[in-house]
Amino acid sequence: MRNLLLAIVFTAVAVAPVRADEFFGGNLQIVEEFAIGTPGTMEPAVLVSDYSNVSSFLGQGFVNGGSALQGANTITRLVADDVTPTGVHAGLSITQFKFSMANFNQTTVSTRPRVRFWFADGAGGAPGTYYNLPAAVGFSFNPIAIGPGVTVVTATLAPGQFFMPGVPFWAGITFDNNNGATGATAAQLDLIGQGIFDPADIGSSGDQFWVSTGAGSLFNLANPAGSLGNLGGAPPASFGWEFTVDAPVPVNQTSWGRVKSQYKN
């Protein structure tokens, strides 16, 4: 009888599903806005980041396109950029990450960004294994209204939701109209995408992107159908991302601190 019970327990453990979480990330904070056609800069990472490429906007963007109606939800294709972090803080919780949203419409559009991650172990270095450390994770944020141009936003995460990969990976976004609630049409969503930034301040990104064959969320989907591409090097195919980890921030001695040190007894 004891052996039978142990067999039942071991069987239950063997077939237990792997946890996968699509977190509903709440509100995004707008940190910078750029006009399409006009290169611009913003302050590089201040907090501890293993990858940062949001400081040098090249004045251009790339649209996701391919919007399709899935049930009551209109959603675009997913477009991802290759990210090579420094690896210094691999395994630490990511407390914030930044990404960009490009709006090529002539008017403000409200859309819901949905962020996904893969390891770069697919064919030819394409998205392969869905990010799974410690579990598959994705983020769907509250809809946000963005004006024409490129908007950089910050997502703030709870500790333990997403851990910094120590190897190259893919970070991608698809956009939808939240089952029609945002009012965005398929034609408007087809003109939503990401801004192009280069060079990275921390880590690196190759001159390539990946775009899914069809529209959809692609959450927890390994080896999704899609293709690698580039923009011929002008501009480089590199989108705006930054990943900040939960680590002590290095503090440099300030001028005031140096002055005070001269008057110590």
Side-chain angles (χ1 to χ4, degrees), residues 9 11 18 46 55 60 63 65 74 154 164 167 198 207 254 258 265:
V9 170
T11 300
V18 175
V46 175
S55 65
Q60 301 179 60
V63 296
T74 302
T154 295
M164 189 71 218
V167 296
D198 192 74
D207 183 13
T254 65
R258 289 193 296 270
N265 293 327

Side-chain angles (χ1 to χ4, degrees), residues 144-200:
I144 182 171
I146 54 172
V150 169
T151 301
V152 179
V153 296
T154 295
T156 300
L157 309 182
Q161 289 184 328
F162 181 24
F163 295 91
M164 189 71 218
V167 296
F169 65 101
W170 289 89
I173 313 175
T174 184
F175 301 95
D176 68 22
N177 66 2
N178 196 21
N179 295 301
T182 74
T185 66
Q188 289 176 322
L189 289 174
D190 279 340
L191 294 177
I192 301 295
Q194 299 177 62
I196 297 175
F197 293 74
D198 192 74

